Amino acid sequence: MVDVSTPTRRTGRTRTRTWAVVLAACVGQFLVVLDVSVVNVALPSMRTDLGLSTAGLQWVLNAYSIAFAGFMLLGGRAADLYGRKLMFLVGLGLFTAASLAGGLAQEGWQLLAARAAQGLGAAVLAPATLTLLTAAVPEGPARARAIGTWMAVGAGGGAAGGLIGGVLTDALSWRWVLLINVPVGVLVLAGAALYLAEGRTGERSRIDFPGALLVTAGLASVAYGIVQTEESGWTAAATLLPLLGGVALLALFVLVESRTAKPLMPLRVLGARAVASANVAMFLIGSATFSMWYFMTVYAQNVLGYSAMEAGLALMPTSVAIVIGSKCAPRLMARVGAKNLAVVGTVVAAAGFGWQSTMTAGGAYLTSICLPGVLMMAGTGLAATPLASLAISGAAPGEAGLVSGLVNTSRTMGGALGLAVLSTVAAARTDGGTGPADLTAGYALAFRTSGSVLLGGLLLMIFWLPRHRSSVQR
């Protein structure tokens, strides 16, 4: 008689552990992306309660996004060197603690500091979620589906942020858009500590902290300079000094990385065509699409008179659209190829942004929010998954965490800088006007600008992305 009990039990344990990894990775990614958008509808309440200025409100978003993007390369490299499970727990623990601090903030600076700490925790957590998932699921169609699920859950987090934030703000207070992370984070921490297995793909070594600080300070300085243009203009010292200083810091980062024995971002990684082209494309898509949630929310509330909850409900179809787009992407990739799907998705998204730019002060919900929003987000979901898969397919062994961190950095930093630029564009168009027509004109110009950026990204994809039949066929 052949004893099959042991293999059967191993298979069962393996499947259970795999599902535990996928669940933990998806919940972690959901929280990370949720907190990019969940505060949008709560901004007016935050401003009233804490006395924040207009620029301060923008930094509630950017403090998180810039810390998130700037330290994500560090987080990705740490996952490779010190263990995916350890970095997942460290990142989620910091994220949860910072959420508690932000929810209890009594001053504006306390909230901004907590948001920056949240971003740092997210920067450690996000790359660990993707490397945990890719390590648990073997390369092939199953991994493509797992990445598609991870992208869909992340996209759903960003999309659901408006509804969740609106419900919590109206029913309780703005503080609960941050405090809600605490019980979820504690529960996931406990489960991850029990069920996740440790693993790393590189030898333990020093981490390039100078590189992390240089790239974060450089990106933050550039973003701050762009924000300053709204008040001071492009030629003022208050704008030029941080802009030029940020560029200098980024140039120094490249110099340091080229001479450091263990660089945070080995420049040879960008020598792979798939990695370089997919990341630039992801940066452009992020810069165009991230601000969509912000402008749609303020348009619904400031122009159309929606409440926080109504604004969140109004964006539900777009939430569903991006999840569906992300979930359909793996199956479509197998049929038309990753590059072709990325191109098609970008075309759909650009069409949605063009439609949205025709918005008016008295716009109807169906044609001014719902349908163009569905096109924008369905296209984004279709494009982002193949780009992430292409980038990871070009990663060398032992650098999956680094490349996954780079993908998230490109998308998130593009979003942070895009929001800064597009907010400045919208403010310049309104020229100080606060009436519905003035605000709508500014928002419409921001959407037209985003559509133009997507068209530029479309050309880049056509001529630079490698042509693979599938992201998993090497």
Side-chain angles (χ1 to χ4, degrees), residues 44-77:
S45 298
M46 291 177 177
R47 181 174 188 172
T48 301
D49 199 11
L50 300 180
L52 291 167
S53 65
T54 301
L57 286 180
Q58 190 168 325
W59 277 99
V60 172
L61 303 176
N62 280 339
Y64 180 87
S65 298
I66 292 172
F68 183 17
F71 280 102
M72 207 178 307
L73 292 177
L74 177 65
R77 195 61 180 148

mmCIF file of all heavy atoms in Angstrom, residues 44-77:
data_model
loop_
_atom_site.group_PDB
_atom_site.id
_atom_site.type_symbol
_atom_site.label_atom_id
_atom_site.label_comp_id
_atom_site.label_asym_id
_atom_site.label_seq_id
_atom_site.Cartn_x
_atom_site.Cartn_y
_atom_site.Cartn_z
ATOM 1 N N PRO A 44 -11.981 68.906 4.111
ATOM 2 C CA PRO A 44 -12.678 70.078 4.668
ATOM 3 C C PRO A 44 -12.853 70.012 6.191
ATOM 4 O O PRO A 44 -12.683 71.021 6.881
ATOM 5 C CB PRO A 44 -14.037 70.048 3.943
ATOM 6 C CG PRO A 44 -13.762 69.328 2.659
ATOM 7 C CD PRO A 44 -12.761 68.283 3.026
ATOM 8 N N SER A 45 -13.163 68.818 6.713
ATOM 9 C CA SER A 45 -13.316 68.674 8.164
ATOM 10 C C SER A 45 -11.982 68.851 8.877
ATOM 11 O O SER A 45 -11.912 69.455 9.956
ATOM 12 C CB SER A 45 -13.901 67.301 8.498
ATOM 13 O OG SER A 45 -15.195 67.147 7.935
ATOM 14 N N MET A 46 -10.916 68.325 8.305
ATOM 15 C CA MET A 46 -9.585 68.510 8.880
ATOM 16 C C MET A 46 -9.218 69.995 8.933
ATOM 17 O O MET A 46 -8.668 70.483 9.921
ATOM 18 C CB MET A 46 -8.545 67.750 8.061
ATOM 19 C CG MET A 46 -8.634 66.249 8.155
ATOM 20 S SD MET A 46 -7.408 65.458 7.081
ATOM 21 C CE MET A 46 -7.701 63.727 7.468
ATOM 22 N N ARG A 47 -9.533 70.686 7.856
ATOM 23 C CA ARG A 47 -9.201 72.116 7.788
ATOM 24 C C ARG A 47 -9.935 72.888 8.887
ATOM 25 O O ARG A 47 -9.350 73.748 9.565
ATOM 26 C CB ARG A 47 -9.569 72.664 6.416
ATOM 27 C CG ARG A 47 -9.238 74.130 6.233
ATOM 28 C CD ARG A 47 -9.486 74.562 4.811
ATOM 29 N NE ARG A 47 -8.988 75.909 4.566
ATOM 30 C CZ ARG A 47 -8.943 76.479 3.359
ATOM 31 N NH1 ARG A 47 -9.346 75.811 2.292
ATOM 32 N NH2 ARG A 47 -8.475 77.689 3.216
ATOM 33 N N THR A 48 -11.203 72.589 9.082
ATOM 34 C CA THR A 48 -11.990 73.277 10.098
ATOM 35 C C THR A 48 -11.503 72.954 11.506
ATOM 36 O O THR A 48 -11.370 73.839 12.358
ATOM 37 C CB THR A 48 -13.475 72.887 9.954
ATOM 38 O OG1 THR A 48 -13.936 73.244 8.651
ATOM 39 C CG2 THR A 48 -14.322 73.587 10.997
ATOM 40 N N ASP A 49 -11.210 71.690 11.748
ATOM 41 C CA ASP A 49 -10.853 71.251 13.093
ATOM 42 C C ASP A 49 -9.442 71.663 13.497
ATOM 43 O O ASP A 49 -9.200 72.059 14.644
ATOM 44 C CB ASP A 49 -10.988 69.724 13.175
ATOM 45 C CG ASP A 49 -11.078 69.224 14.610
ATOM 46 O OD1 ASP A 49 -11.254 70.063 15.514
ATOM 47 O OD2 ASP A 49 -10.974 68.005 14.829
ATOM 48 N N LEU A 50 -8.495 71.601 12.548
ATOM 49 C CA LEU A 50 -7.094 71.852 12.875
ATOM 50 C C LEU A 50 -6.569 73.179 12.346
ATOM 51 O O LEU A 50 -5.406 73.522 12.571
ATOM 52 C CB LEU A 50 -6.219 70.707 12.339
ATOM 53 C CG LEU A 50 -6.530 69.304 12.890
ATOM 54 C CD1 LEU A 50 -5.593 68.287 12.267
ATOM 55 C CD2 LEU A 50 -6.422 69.274 14.401
ATOM 56 N N GLY A 51 -7.409 73.931 11.627
ATOM 57 C CA GLY A 51 -6.991 75.231 11.115
ATOM 58 C C GLY A 51 -5.923 75.156 10.053
ATOM 59 O O GLY A 51 -5.027 76.016 9.985
ATOM 60 N N LEU A 52 -5.980 74.157 9.182
ATOM 61 C CA LEU A 52 -4.983 73.990 8.133
ATOM 62 C C LEU A 52 -5.213 74.979 7.007
ATOM 63 O O LEU A 52 -6.358 75.304 6.655
ATOM 64 C CB LEU A 52 -5.026 72.566 7.580
ATOM 65 C CG LEU A 52 -4.540 71.456 8.528
ATOM 66 C CD1 LEU A 52 -4.936 70.096 7.989
ATOM 67 C CD2 LEU A 52 -3.032 71.536 8.703
ATOM 68 N N SER A 53 -4.131 75.431 6.381
ATOM 69 C CA SER A 53 -4.225 76.293 5.203
ATOM 70 C C SER A 53 -4.475 75.431 3.972
ATOM 71 O O SER A 53 -4.457 74.191 4.026
ATOM 72 C CB SER A 53 -2.920 77.069 5.025
ATOM 73 O OG SER A 53 -1.855 76.175 4.746
ATOM 74 N N THR A 54 -4.692 76.099 2.812
ATOM 75 C CA THR A 54 -4.876 75.356 1.559
ATOM 76 C C THR A 54 -3.648 74.530 1.238
ATOM 77 O O THR A 54 -3.740 73.364 0.837
ATOM 78 C CB THR A 54 -5.180 76.330 0.416
ATOM 79 O OG1 THR A 54 -6.365 77.067 0.733
ATOM 80 C CG2 THR A 54 -5.374 75.578 -0.899
ATOM 81 N N ALA A 55 -2.460 75.142 1.393
ATOM 82 C CA ALA A 55 -1.221 74.404 1.155
ATOM 83 C C ALA A 55 -1.071 73.261 2.160
ATOM 84 O O ALA A 55 -0.592 72.176 1.820
ATOM 85 C CB ALA A 55 -0.027 75.343 1.241
ATOM 86 N N GLY A 56 -1.495 73.497 3.395
ATOM 87 C CA GLY A 56 -1.427 72.454 4.404
ATOM 88 C C GLY A 56 -2.281 71.250 4.047
ATOM 89 O O GLY A 56 -1.886 70.100 4.265
ATOM 90 N N LEU A 57 -3.467 71.517 3.489
ATOM 91 C CA LEU A 57 -4.331 70.422 3.062
ATOM 92 C C LEU A 57 -3.658 69.575 1.993
ATOM 93 O O LEU A 57 -3.744 68.345 1.995
ATOM 94 C CB LEU A 57 -5.652 70.978 2.525
ATOM 95 C CG LEU A 57 -6.646 71.529 3.552
ATOM 96 C CD1 LEU A 57 -7.895 72.024 2.852
ATOM 97 C CD2 LEU A 57 -7.011 70.468 4.581
ATOM 98 N N GLN A 58 -2.979 70.233 1.050
ATOM 99 C CA GLN A 58 -2.308 69.489 -0.002
ATOM 100 C C GLN A 58 -1.191 68.625 0.589
ATOM 101 O O GLN A 58 -0.942 67.509 0.138
ATOM 102 C CB GLN A 58 -1.733 70.452 -1.044
ATOM 103 C CG GLN A 58 -1.227 69.755 -2.297
ATOM 104 C CD GLN A 58 -0.945 70.740 -3.411
ATOM 105 O OE1 GLN A 58 -1.635 71.736 -3.563
ATOM 106 N NE2 GLN A 58 0.075 70.451 -4.187
ATOM 107 N N TRP A 59 -0.539 69.129 1.648
ATOM 108 C CA TRP A 59 0.539 68.361 2.256
ATOM 109 C C TRP A 59 0.018 67.220 3.112
ATOM 110 O O TRP A 59 0.774 66.298 3.446
ATOM 111 C CB TRP A 59 1.467 69.280 3.051
ATOM 112 C CG TRP A 59 2.456 69.916 2.129
ATOM 113 C CD1 TRP A 59 2.402 71.166 1.591
ATOM 114 C CD2 TRP A 59 3.631 69.313 1.587
ATOM 115 N NE1 TRP A 59 3.466 71.389 0.754
ATOM 116 C CE2 TRP A 59 4.239 70.268 0.734
ATOM 117 C CE3 TRP A 59 4.240 68.075 1.742
ATOM 118 C CZ2 TRP A 59 5.419 70.001 0.034
ATOM 119 C CZ3 TRP A 59 5.414 67.810 1.044
ATOM 120 C CH2 TRP A 59 5.978 68.764 0.212
ATOM 121 N N VAL A 60 -1.259 67.217 3.472
ATOM 122 C CA VAL A 60 -1.836 66.027 4.101
ATOM 123 C C VAL A 60 -1.739 64.844 3.133
ATOM 124 O O VAL A 60 -1.503 63.696 3.537
ATOM 125 C CB VAL A 60 -3.305 66.275 4.498
ATOM 126 C CG1 VAL A 60 -3.973 64.984 4.968
ATOM 127 C CG2 VAL A 60 -3.387 67.325 5.602
ATOM 128 N N LEU A 61 -1.891 65.137 1.850
ATOM 129 C CA LEU A 61 -1.740 64.112 0.820
ATOM 130 C C LEU A 61 -0.274 63.875 0.489
ATOM 131 O O LEU A 61 0.202 62.741 0.427
ATOM 132 C CB LEU A 61 -2.500 64.519 -0.444
ATOM 133 C CG LEU A 61 -3.992 64.804 -0.298
ATOM 134 C CD1 LEU A 61 -4.568 65.291 -1.613
ATOM 135 C CD2 LEU A 61 -4.731 63.575 0.187
ATOM 136 N N ASN A 62 0.476 64.963 0.272
ATOM 137 C CA ASN A 62 1.845 64.823 -0.209
ATOM 138 C C ASN A 62 2.820 64.320 0.852
ATOM 139 O O ASN A 62 3.804 63.662 0.521
ATOM 140 C CB ASN A 62 2.343 66.155 -0.777
ATOM 141 C CG ASN A 62 1.848 66.397 -2.195
ATOM 142 O OD1 ASN A 62 1.481 65.449 -2.885
ATOM 143 N ND2 ASN A 62 1.829 67.635 -2.617
ATOM 144 N N ALA A 63 2.591 64.639 2.135
ATOM 145 C CA ALA A 63 3.485 64.130 3.183
ATOM 146 C C ALA A 63 3.498 62.607 3.167
ATOM 147 O O ALA A 63 4.546 61.966 3.334
ATOM 148 C CB ALA A 63 3.037 64.648 4.553
ATOM 149 N N TYR A 64 2.335 62.017 2.957
ATOM 150 C CA TYR A 64 2.234 60.557 2.863
ATOM 151 C C TYR A 64 2.874 60.052 1.575
ATOM 152 O O TYR A 64 3.719 59.147 1.590
ATOM 153 C CB TYR A 64 0.764 60.148 2.913
ATOM 154 C CG TYR A 64 0.519 58.660 2.818
ATOM 155 C CD1 TYR A 64 0.523 57.867 3.963
ATOM 156 C CD2 TYR A 64 0.276 58.049 1.599
ATOM 157 C CE1 TYR A 64 0.290 56.495 3.886
ATOM 158 C CE2 TYR A 64 0.054 56.691 1.499
ATOM 159 C CZ TYR A 64 0.056 55.909 2.641
ATOM 160 O OH TYR A 64 -0.164 54.561 2.558
ATOM 161 N N SER A 65 2.494 60.650 0.449
ATOM 162 C CA SER A 65 2.925 60.140 -0.851
ATOM 163 C C SER A 65 4.429 60.271 -1.050
ATOM 164 O O SER A 65 5.073 59.374 -1.602
ATOM 165 C CB SER A 65 2.188 60.886 -1.971
ATOM 166 O OG SER A 65 0.805 60.678 -1.876
ATOM 167 N N ILE A 66 5.007 61.388 -0.614
ATOM 168 C CA ILE A 66 6.433 61.604 -0.840
ATOM 169 C C ILE A 66 7.270 60.693 0.048
ATOM 170 O O ILE A 66 8.255 60.096 -0.400
ATOM 171 C CB ILE A 66 6.791 63.082 -0.635
ATOM 172 C CG1 ILE A 66 6.155 63.924 -1.753
ATOM 173 C CG2 ILE A 66 8.302 63.287 -0.626
ATOM 174 C CD1 ILE A 66 6.270 65.415 -1.550
ATOM 175 N N ALA A 67 6.893 60.557 1.325
ATOM 176 C CA ALA A 67 7.609 59.614 2.195
ATOM 177 C C ALA A 67 7.440 58.185 1.680
ATOM 178 O O ALA A 67 8.388 57.380 1.697
ATOM 179 C CB ALA A 67 7.104 59.727 3.624
ATOM 180 N N PHE A 68 6.252 57.861 1.231
ATOM 181 C CA PHE A 68 5.957 56.539 0.667
ATOM 182 C C PHE A 68 6.873 56.250 -0.524
ATOM 183 O O PHE A 68 7.578 55.238 -0.578
ATOM 184 C CB PHE A 68 4.481 56.524 0.263
ATOM 185 C CG PHE A 68 3.970 55.210 -0.269
ATOM 186 C CD1 PHE A 68 4.652 54.026 -0.073
ATOM 187 C CD2 PHE A 68 2.762 55.174 -0.957
ATOM 188 C CE1 PHE A 68 4.160 52.825 -0.556
ATOM 189 C CE2 PHE A 68 2.253 53.983 -1.441
ATOM 190 C CZ PHE A 68 2.958 52.809 -1.248
ATOM 191 N N ALA A 69 6.889 57.154 -1.490
ATOM 192 C CA ALA A 69 7.665 56.932 -2.703
ATOM 193 C C ALA A 69 9.162 57.040 -2.442
ATOM 194 O O ALA A 69 9.954 56.261 -2.967
ATOM 195 C CB ALA A 69 7.238 57.937 -3.771
ATOM 196 N N GLY A 70 9.565 58.012 -1.630
ATOM 197 C CA GLY A 70 10.983 58.243 -1.430
ATOM 198 C C GLY A 70 11.691 57.109 -0.714
ATOM 199 O O GLY A 70 12.854 56.820 -0.998
ATOM 200 N N PHE A 71 11.018 56.443 0.209
ATOM 201 C CA PHE A 71 11.663 55.383 0.981
ATOM 202 C C PHE A 71 11.311 53.988 0.466
ATOM 203 O O PHE A 71 11.751 52.997 1.050
ATOM 204 C CB PHE A 71 11.269 55.494 2.461
ATOM 205 C CG PHE A 71 12.034 56.535 3.212
ATOM 206 C CD1 PHE A 71 11.456 57.765 3.497
ATOM 207 C CD2 PHE A 71 13.334 56.312 3.607
ATOM 208 C CE1 PHE A 71 12.159 58.743 4.191
ATOM 209 C CE2 PHE A 71 14.048 57.279 4.294
ATOM 210 C CZ PHE A 71 13.460 58.502 4.583
ATOM 211 N N MET A 72 10.556 53.891 -0.631
ATOM 212 C CA MET A 72 10.130 52.576 -1.067
ATOM 213 C C MET A 72 11.285 51.747 -1.628
ATOM 214 O O MET A 72 11.300 50.522 -1.512
ATOM 215 C CB MET A 72 9.005 52.671 -2.084
ATOM 216 C CG MET A 72 8.122 51.442 -2.055
ATOM 217 S SD MET A 72 6.751 51.490 -3.185
ATOM 218 C CE MET A 72 5.981 53.024 -2.785
ATOM 219 N N LEU A 73 12.253 52.398 -2.267
ATOM 220 C CA LEU A 73 13.422 51.652 -2.718
ATOM 221 C C LEU A 73 14.148 51.028 -1.533
ATOM 222 O O LEU A 73 14.618 49.893 -1.589
ATOM 223 C CB LEU A 73 14.366 52.570 -3.493
ATOM 224 C CG LEU A 73 13.852 53.082 -4.834
ATOM 225 C CD1 LEU A 73 14.871 54.042 -5.447
ATOM 226 C CD2 LEU A 73 13.571 51.938 -5.782
ATOM 227 N N LEU A 74 14.238 51.788 -0.440
ATOM 228 C CA LEU A 74 14.850 51.270 0.779
ATOM 229 C C LEU A 74 14.043 50.088 1.312
ATOM 230 O O LEU A 74 14.604 49.054 1.694
ATOM 231 C CB LEU A 74 14.927 52.373 1.832
ATOM 232 C CG LEU A 74 15.474 51.981 3.206
ATOM 233 C CD1 LEU A 74 16.931 51.561 3.105
ATOM 234 C CD2 LEU A 74 15.318 53.137 4.185
ATOM 235 N N GLY A 75 12.728 50.221 1.323
ATOM 236 C CA GLY A 75 11.884 49.133 1.794
ATOM 237 C C GLY A 75 12.008 47.888 0.940
ATOM 238 O O GLY A 75 12.070 46.765 1.449
ATOM 239 N N GLY A 76 12.057 48.080 -0.382
ATOM 240 C CA GLY A 76 12.201 46.940 -1.277
ATOM 241 C C GLY A 76 13.523 46.225 -1.097
ATOM 242 O O GLY A 76 13.600 44.990 -1.082
ATOM 243 N N ARG A 77 14.598 46.987 -0.937
ATOM 244 C CA ARG A 77 15.912 46.374 -0.748
ATOM 245 C C ARG A 77 15.991 45.669 0.599
ATOM 246 O O ARG A 77 16.589 44.592 0.726
ATOM 247 C CB ARG A 77 16.996 47.454 -0.836
ATOM 248 C CG ARG A 77 18.396 46.883 -1.016
ATOM 249 C CD ARG A 77 18.462 46.090 -2.294
ATOM 250 N NE ARG A 77 19.785 45.515 -2.515
ATOM 251 C CZ ARG A 77 19.975 44.355 -3.130
ATOM 252 N NH1 ARG A 77 18.954 43.645 -3.550
ATOM 253 N NH2 ARG A 77 21.198 43.901 -3.324
#
